[in-house]
Amino acid sequence: MTLAVKLDALHYRARANRWMRYFTTFTRLALAAGFLPAGYVKIIGERFTDLHNNQPMGHYLEALHHTGYYYTFIGYAQVLAALLLLIPRTVLLGTLLYLPIILNICILSFAVRFEGSLLTAPLMVIACIYLLCWHYERIKYIFPFNNPPFVRPVQNSRFPKLFFAVVIATFLAVGFTVTHLYKLMPRNTQVDCETQCDDSENPEACKVFCESIHNNGQDLDKSLKDYERALKQKK
């Protein structure tokens, strides 16, 4: 009996057991409950914990809180993953979204020795792996010991002009957008930052922004506010 056949049989027995189904439902609900409040706090822009900034995890979370809409984005991702877990038809999709987030939290917890999630984070990772195993029949063909049904494609040597035109257009559109998205960039050093000031609408206000970032150690939002104040003072 091959490994693939053994895993199929084991999976079939597990799915047929009523108590295993109850446990799976509990696991889904517990994981969702873990992310809903954590995600909501980030969405409304509040700091996640009251840890002191000098504490290793507090230092990390304080920096994360100052990343602007990236912090909010994590919150939306957590809430979305939790909601997908609550819907039976989207449990697998929710698990695939949930796992990389909680795995990152797990590694972070060990890296900074944060006891607040030192137990819960690895258990949540294991819970996600369990849900992936529960849906083994839907992901089993990613493993090298399972061979999916092979359908030989019809050969076609015609050059896909439209496809490559879309590829090139996408490349140019993304390149143009990201290079013209912001009027001010913090750059890597103050000297590099100030190179953009000569072409800005107010070079002195631009230099205030660079000074705020690189000399005063302000975060991006506060530095942009300093820039706006400098603009108003010049008017």
Side-chain angles (χ1 to χ4, degrees):
M1 185 181 294
T2 64
L3 177 60
V5 174
K6 291 179 179 178
L7 289 177
D8 284 337
L10 178 62
H11 177 255
Y12 178 80
R13 289 199 302 272
R15 293 294 295 257
N17 187 283
R18 181 178 61 179
W19 295 103
M20 293 288 288
R21 293 198 298 271
Y22 289 160
F23 178 75
T24 302
T25 301
F26 167 78
T27 301
R28 289 168 44 213
L29 297 178
L31 287 174
F35 263 15
L36 284 174
Y40 176 73
V41 168
K42 295 181 181 69
I43 289 173
I44 62 177
E46 292 187 0
R47 199 172 183 274
F48 184 61
T49 71
D50 57 356
L51 291 171
H52 194 278
N53 290 353
N54 291 337
Q55 199 269 1
M57 179 62 90
H59 189 74
Y60 170 84
L61 293 176
E62 178 66 19
L64 183 64
H65 185 244
H66 289 294
T67 56
Y69 55 79
Y70 174 68
Y71 183 75
T72 308
F73 167 77
I74 296 174
Y76 278 112
Q78 287 182 300
V79 170
L80 177 60
L83 293 177
L84 291 173
L85 283 177
L86 295 176
I87 304 172
R89 292 180 64 88
T90 59
V91 171
L92 179 58
L93 180 59
T95 306
L96 292 173
L97 177 59
Y98 200 110
L99 179 58
I101 300 174
I102 192 59
L103 180 60
N104 177 69
I105 295 172
C106 180
I107 300 302
L108 172 64
S109 300
F110 282 104
V112 298
R113 305 184 187 185
F114 179 56
E115 61 184 353
S117 53
L118 206 58
L119 174 63
T120 56
L123 288 177
M124 293 167 81
V125 171
I126 294 171
C128 284
I129 295 174
Y130 168 78
L131 289 179
L132 290 180
C133 293
W134 187 257
H135 293 280
Y136 172 73
E137 82 284 357
R138 299 171 65 181
I139 63 170
K140 64 181 182 179
Y141 291 121
I142 67 174
F143 299 108
F145 50 78
N146 275 311
N147 296 317
F150 179 73
V151 178
R152 184 178 297 277
V154 178
Q155 296 297 317
N156 181 3
S157 59
R158 182 179 179 182
F159 185 77
K161 292 183 290 185
L162 179 60
F163 170 77
F164 284 106
V166 172
V167 170
I168 295 172
T170 301
F171 178 83
L172 293 175
V174 172
F176 179 83
T177 301
V178 299
T179 54
H180 293 77
L181 190 60
Y182 303 108
K183 291 188 295 184
L184 286 177
M185 297 285 287
R187 302 285 174 81
N188 294 333
T189 66
Q190 185 172 352
V191 174
D192 288 340
C193 181
E194 291 181 353
T195 58
Q196 63 191 324
C197 294
D198 293 337
D199 298 327
S200 66
E201 56 181 304
N202 191 316
E204 292 304 317
C206 173
K207 290 180 180 178
V208 168
F209 168 79
C210 296
E211 178 83 11
S212 181
I213 286 282
H214 293 283
N215 278 353
N216 300 336
Q218 301 291 345
D219 61 50
L220 182 61
D221 287 340
K222 290 180 180 178
S223 298
L224 288 173
K225 289 179 181 177
D226 290 343
Y227 170 75
E228 295 296 335
R229 280 195 296 268
L231 279 180
K232 291 177 182 179
Q233 291 174 358
K234 293 295 183 180
K235 292 180 180 179

